[in-house]
Amino acid sequence: MPPIIKTPKCTGCGACENICPGDLMVVEEGKALCRSRRDCWDCMSCVKVCPAQALEIRIPYQLGYYPAKLVPEMQGKEIIWTVTDLDGKEEKFTVKVRN
């Protein structure tokens, strides 16, 4: 399931393109784009690195149903994960980055 790109928020900085291990993310016409949606393996590297928070991954239907989502936000040496359930309730979890 490839990332959902919120194009109004995307600045076209290229961070997602530089970090994608599958070389799937590109910047075209100033906006991020996943060039092969079926080849994305949900590593979330692009989502975590995006400074504009323009990318998100939907939780697969089998795990959370739409509109549940999981959104990471890098904050220095931590990742703040925001989990939104079916009813719109949000919870935040902070995880320290090891490297």
Side-chain angles (χ1 to χ4, degrees):
M1 194 171 226
I4 294 167
I5 303 162
K6 298 182 240 171
T7 52
K9 290 179 99 176
C10 180
T11 62
C13 71
C16 58
E17 184 175 24
N18 293 333
I19 202 162
C20 180
D23 194 30
L24 301 174
M25 296 300 293
V26 293
V27 175
E28 290 184 0
E29 298 179 19
K31 299 294 179 180
L33 174 73
C34 182
R35 74 170 104 217
S36 180
R37 298 173 56 84
R38 67 181 182 87
D39 292 333
C40 178
W41 61 81
D42 302 325
C43 73
M44 294 187 76
S45 293
C46 60
V47 177
K48 290 187 277 187
V49 77
C50 181
Q53 294 183 320
L55 304 172
E56 67 181 45
I57 297 286
R58 294 281 183 202
I59 296 174
Y61 178 77
Q62 297 87 338
L63 298 177
Y65 304 103
Y66 181 82
K69 61 184 174 179
L70 178 64
V71 179
E73 179 183 347
M74 297 296 294
Q75 297 261 326
K77 295 280 186 179
E78 299 177 331
I79 303 174
I80 299 170
W81 293 91
T82 303
V83 181
T84 307
D85 69 13
L86 290 173
D87 301 319
K89 179 183 166 202
E90 284 189 2
E91 285 190 61
K92 292 186 183 258
F93 301 92
T94 301
V95 178
K96 293 200 183 294
V97 177
R98 293 186 220 169
N99 52 1

